[in-house]
Amino acid sequence: MLTLERLRLTREDFALDADLAIPQGARVAILGPSGAGKSTLLAAIGGFLSPRSGRILWDGKDITGAEPAARPVATIFQDNNLFPHLTALRNVALGLDPTGRLSATTRDRALAALRDVGLDGFADRKPGALSGGQQSRVTLARAMLQDKPILLLDEPFSALGPAMKAEMIDLVLRVAEERGLTVLMISHDPADALRLGGLSLVVADGVAHPPRPTTELMDDPPPALRDYLAR
Amino acid sequence: MKQPLTLAGIAAGALVVLLILGSVVAVALRAERGAGLGAADWAALRFTLWQAALSAVFSVALAIPVARALARRRFRGRGLLITLLGAPFILPVIVAVLGLIMVFGRAGLLNDGLAALGLPAVSIYGAWGVLLAHVFFNLPLATRMILQGWVDIPAERFRLAAALGMGPAAQFRLIELPMLARVVPGAALVVFLICTTSFAVALTLGGGPRATTIELAIYQAFRFDFDLGRAALLALLQLGVTLAAALVALRVAAPEAMGAGLDRPVQRWGLPGPVVDTLAITLATLFLVLPMVALAARGLPHLANMPPEVWAAAWRSVVVALGSAVLTIALALPLAVAVGRLRPRAARGLEVAGMLGIAASPLVIGTGLFIVSYPFIAPDRLALPVTALVNAVMALPFALRLLVPAVARVESDYGRLAASLGLSGFAWLRLVLLPRITRPLGFATGLAAALSMGDLGVVALFADAEAATLPLQMYRLMGAYRMQDAAAAALLLLALSLAAFWIFDRGGRADADA
Amino acid sequence: MKPHALLALGLMAAPAMAQDRPVLTVYTYDSFVAEWGPGPQIEDAFEAECGCDLQFTAAGDGAELLARIRLEGERSEADVVLGLDTNLTAAAKETGLFTDSGVSDVAWDLPIAWDDPTFVPYDWGYFAFVHDAGFDAPGSFRALAESDTSILIQDPRSSTPGLGLLLWVEAAYGDEAGVIWDGLADNIVTVTKGWSEAYGLFLEGEADMVLSYTTSPAYHLIAEDDDSKEAARFEEGHYLQIEVAGALAASDQPDLAQDFLAFLATDAAQSVLPTTNWMYPAKTPEGGLPEGFETLIQPDEALLIPEAEVPAVRDAALETWRSALSQ
């Protein structure tokens, strides 16, 4: 269980409140208008923003002040997910060993992860020589090796075409299924939320509302979401 | 944790402050009698500020058309020209002055040409001469800084402007002018600071005691009056000017790095005809390259007959330059990291500390180090290490201007990713930071090496017979009437400085991935 | 070995350690120790007879040399200081760091009588304006001031010849020096930091005349076989520069230091100086002056301000100079 306990997040002229819980293994789409604070919420969970007040708990353990790398969280960002000067293999291997050493075991596991996401034979390419979809797969392979129970995705697939994006979400679902991950994914597209299944969390008007089943939410959207969806 | 790098940066800043202020204090404490500052010293301050301000204005005003032309035109040799633009800046003063004289002097190319046309001769001496020389030294630097501003304008803006049918005037007003407003004040202040320590240029071309700068007054206090108290006071005055100007410089958003991507012209649509740009590039090239060609032509015939000691000195200079470059980077890199990570107020303080070297008097630092080290070790044994250290502190401001923005960009692009992966400390340095900043790093290393190579600096104060560097050896040749050998040594110096600059700069580019 | 250790070693200019021989440390100005200067030959000649190791340490020019000795004080490694001149000796004596030379009864070939117990002269010369052969040079400061002849001079605050010119005008004209400087102001093309810059500009054709020495043409004649340079003879007389050496009281080799000072007066040292330092030897060696020196001009009168008066005269003359040239 990921608990956001009376969390208050502030940036210069902006505040967001969250008081909610996400069950372990849930798959949560985060919806809401631009600028509402979706990324701010993920940044706080990922450890990149200290909350003004409140606590973040995982399985009852307070992680509010923990370093990003010490949290039970792997994050896939909107961009800059890969180091352009390192090969796919080395990028993935960083998920296992952040000192950058490439031991035989690390290498084997990284290669296996690449194979798992369908990138057999791409290990020695640098990101510049990979397509957008392939880059997303490399990132996902690394997140798998980080072996964290929570996976945060900050619109990482927004630059991909619809078919490719669907394919990536399915891959995320497969990985999450296999490992029992809790997934939080920001999206602009209700179709993504529906594809992800599970819950949706609406961020609007300075509040992150507790998650509700996505289908239920789409059938009867609250006012903020209704405006956003233009229904 | 990335903490060790931040701590190293703070330590580097402290070392620079200690070195510069410590040497002033050491000199002041050693003072025997003090006359205090007299009217002549205040006149020197006024002249220093006046000539530095004018030099900055002219350098920057002339750099704008040149930078604009370089930004929007492609032509063969553009890359080479941009490298050559670094040359005047790294030339030893005396060499550059002689080069200028060969072109603009009473018997120089310009006056020969004017005489052939039946026109009256122009004189290089006086206020205009000082400005001419300072523009010669600093136009390239200003051009590179402003060119960076142009290159950093996203190509999409010009595409949008073209789509909207904006003419050149509207593009200038709406896109380029705001960039200039951001970049020009910083560039002007850097040039201003460099010119505040001018000494030999101002005196030689200034035409007399009117052109007395603070640095000359310090030299006089030390050499002529042996009034160490006044030398220390003057050094403090000079540092005060720097400090004030550096604070202003950081406030007006000093220009970005001047290393990355300069070889890529800005894609433009609907350009005006090339006449103005061609003229700007041609004139700037002639102005900057002719004196160097004249120097080379003078030295080339005698290169083979130079005394062997000159080659030994050249080797020594190369070692000092490499040592100085390594030291510069060892100071600049942690400083740049710390500046990016500390709170804004502390970061600004640290950056100003790193900038102090730009206007510190080499003579005062040298004397201070001499006084401090003398009780423990024979100063001549320290000549070359001290030269390398002082040169590194002098080059540090330029390295910082290059590395601070570059490091900040890497932190903002990859800081979160690294934090989420637990990449830190030396793994961060080795795996992410260094590979991502090879270009500005190469440029900074080359600049530091070249600056050190050409600097006469403090070695003269410490050197014994066996430790002469190339600039010192060249000066000795001149002092022994051997002007032809000196011209050859100057050519060698020019070649070595450019080579050091070119090798590091290219080395940084070779490996740079998207 | 690690690379940075290698670098550090490379940077350390470790002088060759002499085994068992006593070391005599001589501080001198920079151009003296250059390979083409007098230093190497004098070192060889003295070491051949002293059974010691002579080591030179160089520091800028004469004035910087004195500044360095003042900085180091009694702890200085130096046994002998070589390269001060008659404009600096008063200030040098005032430091109390120098001791008697022990050299006496030498029949010096100097334009003036020499009986200083502290300092030993080793060479000398006259300041003069040098010009190209065939140029109709003025014959006095007054004529120069009235002519449109252009000249290059050095700054007295940063250069030895510059200070020499200041004292030259002072010695020749006294209270009228200011008038002379006013008259010269429009002849001066520029004022350089040191001799090298001015002479370099002169050779580039930047002025008709440059302040240098009467012996300068000898360099071009002897070393370059070029007789195109001459010195202008001024009827006021020419100011004298006598370069001297002295022993430091705190030396740990006082005997050796005195030996060296005495050695400077011998032919072995004196014969080296004319064609390396391009000055007149303080005591003409057995074989006379090198061929070519006979072509140099001989001033009618040697001007020299007594050393004790130099400090006061110098400061007043500098003010006169500065205000005349700052118009």
Side-chain angles (χ1 to χ4, degrees):
Chain A
M1 178 95 80
L2 176 68
T3 313
L4 309 181
E5 193 180 272
R6 288 198 301 280
L7 200 60
R8 188 172 178 84
L9 308 172
T10 53
R11 282 186 167 156
E12 286 97 53
D13 51 351
F14 163 88
L16 178 70
D17 290 301
D19 190 23
L20 54 88
I22 293 165
Q24 184 161 3
R27 291 187 287 282
V28 184
I30 302 177
L31 300 170
S34 296
K38 302 188 293 289
S39 293
T40 305
L41 185 67
L42 280 206
I45 300 171
F48 302 108
L49 176 71
S50 304
R52 172 59 62 89
S53 60
R55 298 196 300 164
I56 303 172
L57 303 130
W58 175 246
D59 283 347
K61 205 171 131 251
D62 190 342
I63 58 167
T64 318
E67 289 289 321
R71 296 184 181 219
V73 174
T75 306
I76 300 181
F77 301 98
Q78 215 160 358
D79 44 29
N80 290 326
N81 278 303
L82 299 173
F83 296 113
H85 53 283
L86 300 179
T87 61
L89 175 70
R90 296 200 77 104
N91 266 296
V92 171
L94 284 175
L96 276 176
D97 183 354
T99 63
R101 274 186 290 271
L102 201 59
S103 69
T105 348
T106 307
R107 188 187 167 81
D108 290 346
R109 289 185 60 193
L111 284 171
L114 279 171
R115 213 172 303 128
D116 200 18
V117 296
L119 287 181
D120 206 2
F122 289 83
D124 293 330
R125 293 214 194 166
K126 290 186 180 176
L130 296 171
S131 72
Q134 288 166 336
Q135 292 180 16
S136 299
R137 286 166 189 268
V138 175
T139 311
L140 198 61
R142 186 182 59 207
M144 281 159 55
L145 290 188
Q146 279 181 272
D147 201 22
K148 301 287 177 104
I150 304 173
L151 180 60
L152 303 180
L153 300 107
D154 187 354
E155 280 193 87
F157 311 135
S158 54
L160 303 180
M164 184 73 82
K165 191 158 67 170
E167 210 176 289
M168 285 309 301
I169 291 175
D170 289 347
L171 185 58
V172 169
L173 284 172
R174 199 195 86 205
V175 169
E177 197 76 37
E178 284 167 9
R179 295 159 185 260
L181 302 183
T182 305
V183 177
L184 278 75
M185 183 175 90
I186 294 179
S187 176
H188 272 116
D189 188 350
D192 294 351
L194 288 167
R195 188 160 197 104
L196 196 64
L199 308 174
S200 280
L201 185 163
V202 176
V203 178
D205 305 324
V207 181
H209 299 278
R212 291 167 59 193
T214 304
T215 43
E216 188 188 310
L217 204 66
M218 293 294 170
D219 291 344
D220 179 21
L225 186 62
R226 198 178 305 139
D227 292 346
Y228 172 62
L229 296 173
R231 287 201 196 153
Chain B
M1 289 298 296
K2 298 173 193 166
Q3 227 43 24
L5 279 174
T6 312
L7 287 178
I10 294 171
L15 178 74
V16 173
V17 172
L18 187 73
L19 186 68
I20 290 172
L21 290 184
S23 56
V24 176
V25 170
V27 170
L29 288 179
R30 188 65 182 71
E32 285 166 6
R33 68 188 171 104
L37 298 182
D41 297 316
W42 295 112
L45 175 64
R46 274 196 304 278
F47 175 77
T48 304
L49 296 178
W50 177 83
Q51 58 85 18
L54 277 188
S55 300
V57 168
F58 276 86
S59 298
V60 168
L62 293 172
I64 291 173
V66 181
R68 184 176 62 175
L70 283 171
R72 62 190 191 182
R73 304 288 174 190
R74 297 160 196 271
F75 53 91
R76 279 171 80 88
R78 186 175 171 280
L80 181 69
L81 180 62
I82 289 175
T83 299
L84 268 181
L85 277 182
F89 186 59
I90 56 188
L91 275 182
V93 168
I94 175 73
V95 174
V97 168
L98 282 178
L100 283 173
I101 295 290
M102 289 174 196
V103 177
F104 298 98
R106 208 175 76 142
L109 294 174
L110 178 68
N111 278 327
D112 286 354
L114 289 176
L117 297 172
L119 295 168
V122 294
S123 169
I124 194 181
Y125 302 99
W128 290 109
V130 178
L131 285 182
L132 183 86
H134 281 165
V135 170
F136 177 74
F137 277 112
N138 296 304
L139 174 69
L141 185 70
T143 302
R144 283 193 85 128
M145 288 191 282
I146 295 170
L147 178 55
Q148 189 69 49
W150 246 291
V151 172
D152 285 346
I153 297 178
E156 292 77 10
R157 305 242 176 105
F158 289 111
R159 204 171 58 195
L160 180 62
L164 294 172
M166 279 188 206
Q171 285 192 19
F172 182 75
R173 206 175 58 246
L174 293 170
I175 302 177
E176 298 174 318
L177 203 57
M179 178 279 292
L180 288 174
R182 194 167 47 80
V183 169
V184 160
L189 274 157
V190 169
V191 176
F192 173 85
L193 286 176
I194 293 171
C195 293
T196 52
T197 50
S198 179
F199 168 2
V201 170
L203 182 63
T204 304
L205 295 176
R210 277 182 308 272
T212 297
T213 56
I214 300 182
E215 189 68 21
L216 172 56
I218 292 176
Y219 188 62
Q220 179 192 351
F222 175 74
R223 179 191 176 281
F224 191 82
D225 301 321
F226 197 67
D227 184 346
L228 295 178
R230 207 171 103 233
L233 271 179
L234 287 164
L236 280 177
L237 198 62
Q238 201 169 36
L239 284 177
V241 170
T242 313
L243 213 58
L247 281 171
V248 176
L250 290 179
R251 258 184 208 286
V252 296
E256 290 262 301
M258 35 178 184
L262 290 184
D263 39 8
R264 169 178 63 89
V266 178
Q267 175 91 43
R268 296 286 290 274
W269 293 266
L271 281 180
V275 179
V276 177
D277 286 350
T278 308
L279 197 68
I281 291 177
T282 310
L283 284 180
T285 308
L286 284 178
F287 174 50
L288 297 172
V289 172
L290 270 184
M292 284 186 272
V293 172
L295 280 169
R298 190 65 47 98
L300 205 55
H302 309 286
L303 204 54
N305 319 327
M306 271 192 308
E309 295 77 15
V310 176
W311 295 101
W315 168 243
R316 232 172 270 127
S317 273
V318 168
V319 174
V320 170
L322 290 179
S324 177
V326 169
L327 266 175
T328 305
I329 299 305
L331 291 170
L333 198 57
L335 263 172
V337 171
V339 164
R341 288 185 187 160
L342 292 173
R343 291 165 191 287
R345 189 177 282 267
R348 186 173 299 164
L350 200 59
E351 208 174 348
V352 169
M355 298 279 283
L356 277 182
I358 207 170
S361 160
L363 187 68
V364 171
I365 296 188
T367 309
L369 282 176
F370 185 96
I371 292 168
V372 171
S373 66
Y374 182 69
F376 308 107
I377 183 164
D380 26 301
R381 301 201 56 178
L382 286 176
L384 297 183
V386 162
T387 304
L389 177 65
V390 174
N391 288 348
V393 169
M394 305 273 167
L396 185 59
F398 303 104
L400 276 182
R401 285 257 51 83
L402 288 161
L403 293 182
V404 166
V407 170
R409 193 166 300 168
V410 178
E411 296 262 10
S412 89
D413 283 354
Y414 300 106
R416 279 186 169 200
L417 174 58
S420 79
L421 293 172
L423 256 175
S424 62
F426 288 98
W428 159 259
L429 187 69
R430 186 168 52 85
L431 286 173
V432 185
L433 190 60
L434 289 179
R436 298 310 302 161
I437 59 170
T438 49
R439 275 172 173 237
L441 197 65
F443 186 76
T445 314
L447 195 65
L451 279 174
S452 172
M453 194 93 72
D455 194 55
L456 184 60
V458 296
V459 76
L461 202 66
F462 285 77
D464 63 6
E466 277 107 39
T469 56
L470 187 52
L472 184 58
Q473 203 70 293
M474 187 198 77
Y475 216 81
R476 283 180 179 169
L477 283 165
M478 285 187 74
Y481 293 93
R482 301 171 70 142
M483 300 293 170
Q484 293 178 335
D485 288 336
L491 175 61
L492 181 62
L493 186 54
L494 177 62
L496 284 176
S497 294
L498 270 182
F501 180 65
W502 188 81
I503 288 169
F504 283 113
D505 194 27
R506 285 288 136 181
R509 280 156 201 245
D511 202 34
D513 271 284
Chain C
M1 194 179 289
K2 287 185 176 167
H4 57 261
L6 260 177
L7 191 68
L9 268 185
L11 287 169
M12 284 284 181
M17 289 299 161
Q19 267 86 37
D20 307 330
R21 288 184 294 163
V23 175
L24 181 73
T25 305
V26 176
Y27 281 17
T28 185
Y29 48 75
D30 206 57
S31 61
F32 199 88
V33 301
E35 289 70 12
W36 42 84
Q41 292 183 55
I42 294 219
E43 182 177 345
D44 288 347
F46 186 63
E47 285 182 352
E49 64 181 49
C50 73
C52 68
D53 179 21
L54 173 60
Q55 291 185 359
F56 283 116
T57 294
D61 66 0
E64 285 174 27
L65 186 58
L66 179 58
R68 173 153 174 185
I69 286 295
R70 287 170 124 173
L71 276 181
E72 295 188 358
E74 288 182 358
R75 286 194 316 238
S76 178
E77 293 280 316
D79 302 303
V80 171
V81 173
L82 181 155
L84 306 178
D85 67 17
T86 30
N87 295 329
L88 296 169
T89 45
K93 283 178 186 166
E94 201 187 306
T95 64
L97 295 169
F98 290 87
T99 185
D100 281 358
S101 65
V103 177
S104 56
D105 300 331
V106 178
W108 302 109
D109 292 302
L110 296 169
I112 58 159
W114 189 267
D115 53 4
D116 189 308
T118 312
F119 290 108
V120 175
Y122 61 90
D123 66 12
W124 61 278
Y126 293 110
F127 294 111
F129 285 96
V130 170
H131 58 84
D132 283 329
F135 176 73
D136 186 18
S140 70
F141 280 111
R142 281 193 203 281
L144 172 58
E146 282 158 21
S147 74
D148 56 4
T149 302
S150 58
I151 57 171
L152 290 157
I153 64 169
Q154 299 85 1
D155 195 314
R157 295 168 294 178
S158 56
S159 136
T160 303
L163 180 59
L165 177 63
L166 197 68
L167 298 177
W168 184 4
V169 174
E170 200 65 29
Y173 287 95
D175 293 343
E176 278 184 87
V179 181
I180 294 293
W181 280 116
D182 283 338
L184 289 176
D186 62 350
N187 299 91
I188 296 170
V189 172
T190 194
V191 180
T192 65
K193 178 187 175 219
W195 178 90
S196 303
E197 287 91 342
Y199 210 80
L201 292 184
F202 167 69
L203 293 182
E204 289 299 327
E206 288 303 296
D208 301 323
M209 306 205 296
V210 62
L211 178 66
S212 187
Y213 295 88
T214 57
T215 42
S216 297
Y219 169 79
H220 299 282
L221 189 65
I222 296 170
E224 295 179 338
D225 202 17
D226 167 11
D227 60 1
S228 70
K229 300 285 179 285
E230 291 174 359
R233 189 157 77 176
F234 275 21
E235 59 196 32
E236 297 95 333
H238 287 243
Y239 199 76
L240 195 57
Q241 184 192 20
I242 301 172
E243 297 196 288
V244 303
L248 289 166
S251 165
D252 55 0
Q253 299 286 348
D255 297 336
L256 212 46
Q258 289 202 345
D259 290 348
F260 180 70
L261 293 178
F263 166 78
L264 284 177
T266 64
D267 280 7
Q270 291 291 311
S271 62
V272 169
L273 291 162
T275 53
T276 50
N277 233 20
W278 302 102
M279 298 281 270
Y280 286 107
K283 184 174 182 304
T284 312
E286 191 97 355
L289 293 170
E291 195 182 337
F293 269 66
E294 75 284 356
T295 63
L296 303 176
I297 60 159
Q298 293 302 324
D300 299 327
E301 193 185 342
L303 302 174
L304 188 67
I305 293 175
E307 63 170 37
E309 295 169 27
V310 167
V313 169
R314 182 191 86 149
D315 288 351
L318 183 68
E319 271 319 304
T320 309
W321 175 83
R322 202 193 329 239
S323 62
L325 296 194
S326 293
Q327 301 301 310

